[in-house]
Amino acid sequence: MTRAQLIQQIKIKRSFLCVGLDTDIKKIPSFLLEYDDPVYEFNKRIIEATSDLCVAYKPNIAFYECYGLKGWKSLQKTWKILPKECFSIADAKRGDIGNTANMYAQAFFDEEASGLGFDSITVAPYMGSDSVLPFLQFKDKWTIVLALTSNQGSADFQNIQDAEGVQLFERVIVQANRWGNSENLMYVVGATRGEAFKTIRKHAPDHFLLVPGVGAQGGSLEDVCTYGMNADCGLLINSTRSIIYASAGKDFAEKAREEAILLQKAMEKELIKANII
């Protein structure tokens, strides 16, 4: 998916919602366990209930890899039913170098080789350009670099300042901007970081930002939009638990839709406020 196509979907759906598919077989409704592939069945119903309200889906790869071949098959089947107009994100957080990074990229981008053809993948940049550039070599694919995350331990490294008072996450963005551009590179920025979005936008004014943390993690959609939205929206707000686990009963898909509608309506207001739609 190109940047222009993604922006078009945001305007058509009046939404910049990304639904996370961190599907935990221990949390899905028990009646689904009767199916041959409960994880896939859960994902299928969530996708059917939300596809007109969101512009992206983000399976967290760990929730599939942990079940070995069976989990990988669930992931492949899930990827195949993702609506083609929706941006697909493999939340794999890969971070190796050279030929290994090339193989990771092939695993998630090359459908002929692996049965998967995601639009994008999340990547950890700790090992520098060698850990990012291999992913950027794939045409019409996106690399989403971890920049400023919202987990408790993020400050251990990300906020360390150098002699010039520049924080490490800022250096990551400045350097990564030299490897890619706003057509193939995004950044992960946690919603709970509030005004830090002003600093992010100083270094990456045009890039899309993938923003987890709105919803169950307590991030404010309004704050993210105030400090992080640009002229093209430039945001993909991920919500997982508050949507996919809105109910543990047979009405889980209907409740997921209700939660997605609430977010979509709030996003629509922000897009109107910013004169994007």
Side-chain angles (χ1 to χ4, degrees):
M1 180 176 286
T2 67
R3 177 187 173 90
Q5 289 170 328
L6 179 55
I7 293 169
Q8 181 184 39
Q9 284 302 307
I10 289 171
K11 292 179 178 180
I12 290 173
K13 293 185 175 179
R14 307 171 80 83
S15 170
F16 42 101
L17 174 62
C18 172
V19 174
L21 296 174
D22 303 9
T23 306
D24 186 343
I25 199 167
K26 297 175 184 176
K27 293 181 179 179
I28 66 176
S30 58
F31 79 92
L32 292 174
L33 300 179
E34 299 172 5
Y35 288 81
D36 290 337
D37 191 340
V39 168
Y40 168 72
E41 186 65 28
F42 178 84
N43 289 347
K44 179 175 175 287
R45 297 191 190 197
I46 291 291
I47 292 165
E48 290 172 348
T50 60
S51 61
D52 61 322
L53 302 168
C54 67
V55 298
Y57 286 98
K58 183 178 71 65
N60 186 322
I61 305 306
F63 285 79
Y64 303 86
E65 287 181 321
C66 67
Y67 295 113
L69 181 59
K70 184 178 179 180
W72 197 259
K73 287 181 177 178
S74 296
L75 178 64
Q76 288 176 321
K77 289 161 62 179
T78 296
W79 174 77
K80 285 180 179 178
I81 64 167
L82 293 178
K84 297 308 177 189
E85 78 275 9
C86 289
F87 188 70
S88 58
I89 303 169
D91 189 6
K93 299 182 181 70
R94 297 306 194 242
D96 216 314
I97 60 173
N99 288 335
T100 306
N102 278 321
M103 292 299 103
Y104 279 138
Q106 180 175 304
F108 293 100
F109 288 161
D110 188 342
E111 182 182 1
E112 185 176 344
S114 68
L116 296 171
F118 281 92
D119 293 312
S120 64
I121 185 172
T122 55
V123 172
Y126 186 76
M127 295 175 76
S129 61
D130 295 347
S131 62
V132 177
L133 287 174
F135 297 94
L136 291 168
Q137 306 310 308
F138 281 73
K139 190 172 185 261
D140 296 329
K141 300 294 185 180
W142 294 74
T143 303
I144 308 178
V145 173
L146 299 175
L148 185 61
T149 58
S150 56
N151 59 296
Q152 187 174 354
S154 62
D156 291 348
F157 298 117
Q158 295 169 21
N159 296 113
I160 293 175
Q161 295 186 8
D162 60 21
E164 298 174 11
V166 180
Q167 297 175 88
L168 179 59
F169 79 84
E170 296 180 75
R171 293 292 186 195
V172 168
I173 294 172
V174 170
Q175 189 65 32
N177 283 343
R178 296 170 181 157
W179 306 330
N181 53 59
S182 61
E183 300 282 342
N184 64 0
L185 190 68
M186 299 187 189
Y187 294 102
V188 175
V189 183
T192 57
R193 306 312 289 260
E195 292 192 22
F197 278 86
K198 290 195 291 188
T199 303
I200 298 285
R201 281 303 184 202
K202 180 176 71 173
H203 300 299
D206 300 321
H207 289 72
F208 264 86
L209 307 178
L210 173 62
V211 184
V214 168
Q217 294 183 49
S220 165
L221 175 64
E222 187 175 2
D223 285 351
V224 170
C225 293
T226 297
Y227 300 115
M229 186 173 280
N230 62 21
D232 294 321
C233 179
L235 297 170
L236 292 176
I237 304 291
N238 182 77
S239 183
T240 300
R241 284 174 286 170
S242 62
I243 291 178
I244 70 173
Y245 297 132
S247 169
K250 291 192 173 182
D251 64 346
F252 76 94
E254 290 84 355
K255 293 300 182 183
R257 180 171 180 80
E258 290 175 11
E259 290 297 320
I261 288 173
L262 291 176
L263 273 172
Q264 184 272 324
K265 291 300 182 185
M267 290 176 179
E268 182 179 41
K269 290 180 182 178
E270 295 294 339
L271 290 168
I272 292 171
K273 189 193 306 183
N275 294 315
I276 293 172
I277 58 173

